[in-house]
DNA sequence: GATGAACCGGAACTCAGGTTCCGAATATAG
DNA sequence: CTATATTCGGAACCTGAGTTCCGGTTCATC
């Protein structure tokens, strides 16, 4: 239980990274449909090695999604740095959706019905939720978003957009329409 | 090939209906996750009997979805009967989403990435697509919807709403927001 | 009612994909 | 350089879910 302190052997550490990278790529391409054997192959390792580092498929995916969420949190923080509240909100939404567009696995994690959702798990490790709340509040206060807009609505919009990410990029049109409906009295 | 004319034996016809009903209910509850054995059990029959009537799981699901689409087409036609274009559009959207809400299987069919999509297959058998187009056009002409709104946008909105049908009915709020963004110059 | 074709039941089969296991290989301490 | 704990590889195993098969049963006809 507490032996987690002994540092990994050099090769083990290297391999762990390889697995994470390979799984990340494949997961981004095809979501949950990736197979453990493929991951091992792409990493240039045997399946046994994959299992040495991650208890099971679920644990591996959780690790990847955690990674993604950390990156997302970083982007969100950057968006929050914008002076202009409207710009901050747009940038946040943009980065979020652009990531989802590029990563079927991310979408899978966000749209899937898993319980407890991976999002919840990841939220406990990052302050992604808080950042969203702050950015939304700023945009509302500035009149850029309608007064009753909430962080929960951000989730609604995002999920809707992701559901439309199938090949073509119709989803951009979708976001356009949606932003129209969500606009406040002073949209700059 | 042409022997499809000999009428089914009475018990066979009855059983076929039972399978369709049982599968329909289960599919509505849990989507693609239903198992053939469960379907057989709920229908009070053996699996063999299920397979006697449907070549495989896919064929069974296709039959069910076909049924749903016929019902939907009927509802859509009814909506189109409304004098008021705005009302017709709202009714259409409402019935469509209400059906999706009540039926995980329907959602599964509409959101899933299957290719060729079940929607396409079903569209060839009904004139659902044409009805949507007509209703949308009427609402646009009346100024109830923005001028550039298309039937494709109806699909975008619907998919977005369905992606938010998870337990709670947040999706109603979603539709509210979206309709705001899609409104025309003369929303009655 | 007897006869045969159509139909039914459900145990057994198949196949895919996650997981385990252990002998072989390798890194690190002394 | 040797000893030993770690780590690796990948064939074998296990499980779950779709599908098949065929002896028994039921309907329709004469």
């Amino acid at each position: 239980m507490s032996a987690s302190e002994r540092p990994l052997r050099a090769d083990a550490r290297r391999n762990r990274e390889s697995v994470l990278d390979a799984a990340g790529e494949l997961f981004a391409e095809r979501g949950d449909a990736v197979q453990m054997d493929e991951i091992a192959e792409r990493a240039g390792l045997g399946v046994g090695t994959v299992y040495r580092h991650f208890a099971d498929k679920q644990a591996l995916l959780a690790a990847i999604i955690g990674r993604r969420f950390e990156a997302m949190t970083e982007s969100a923080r950057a968006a929050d740095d914008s002076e202009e509240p409207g710009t901050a909100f747009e940038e946040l939404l943009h980065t979020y959706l652009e990531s989802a567009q590029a990563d079927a696995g991310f979408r899978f994690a966000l749209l899937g019905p898993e319980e407890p959702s991976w999002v919840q798990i990841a939220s406990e490790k990052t302050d992604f939720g808080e950042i969203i709340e702050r950015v939304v509040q700023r945009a509302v206060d500035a009149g850029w978003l309608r007064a009753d807009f909430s962080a929960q609505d951000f989730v609604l919009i995002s999920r809707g957009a992701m559901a439309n990410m199938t090949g073509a990029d119709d989803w951009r049109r979708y976001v356009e329409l949606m932003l129209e409906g969500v606009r406040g009295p002073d949209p700059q």
Side-chain angles (χ1 to χ4, degrees), chain A residues 3-17 20 52-54:
Chain A
S4 65
E5 289 324 299
R6 199 190 338 253
L8 286 176
R9 231 170 66 176
D11 55 344
R13 191 164 50 256
R14 210 178 322 129
N15 288 337
R16 189 171 201 287
E17 276 319 294
L20 235 24
R52 160 157 286 272
H53 292 290
F54 300 93

Side-chain angles (χ1 to χ4, degrees), chain A residues 73-95:
Chain A
T73 303
E74 220 36 64
S75 304
R77 212 186 306 281
D80 189 22
D81 283 344
S82 279
E83 279 305 324
E84 185 50 48
T87 308
F89 180 82
E90 279 191 310
E91 194 179 327
L92 176 64
L93 186 62
H94 181 262
T95 346

Side-chain angles (χ1 to χ4, degrees), chain A residues 65-142:
Chain A
I65 292 169
R67 253 191 177 186
R68 292 276 195 286
F69 255 85
E70 277 164 31
M72 264 315 306
T73 303
E74 220 36 64
S75 304
R77 212 186 306 281
D80 189 22
D81 283 344
S82 279
E83 279 305 324
E84 185 50 48
T87 308
F89 180 82
E90 279 191 310
E91 194 179 327
L92 176 64
L93 186 62
H94 181 262
T95 346
Y96 192 58
L97 294 183
E98 222 51 72
S99 298
Q101 156 74 20
D103 187 339
F106 197 52
R107 264 170 5 240
F108 169 80
L110 292 169
L111 287 178
E114 318 296 320
E115 214 53 75
S117 78
W118 270 312
V119 182
Q120 287 174 321
I121 295 171
S123 294
E124 284 162 23
K125 300 203 166 187
T126 73
D127 44 355
F128 187 60
E130 294 158 44
I131 298 177
I132 289 187
E133 219 138 316
R134 187 162 57 246
V135 172
V136 164
Q137 196 52 54
R138 281 177 59 203
V140 167
D141 290 344

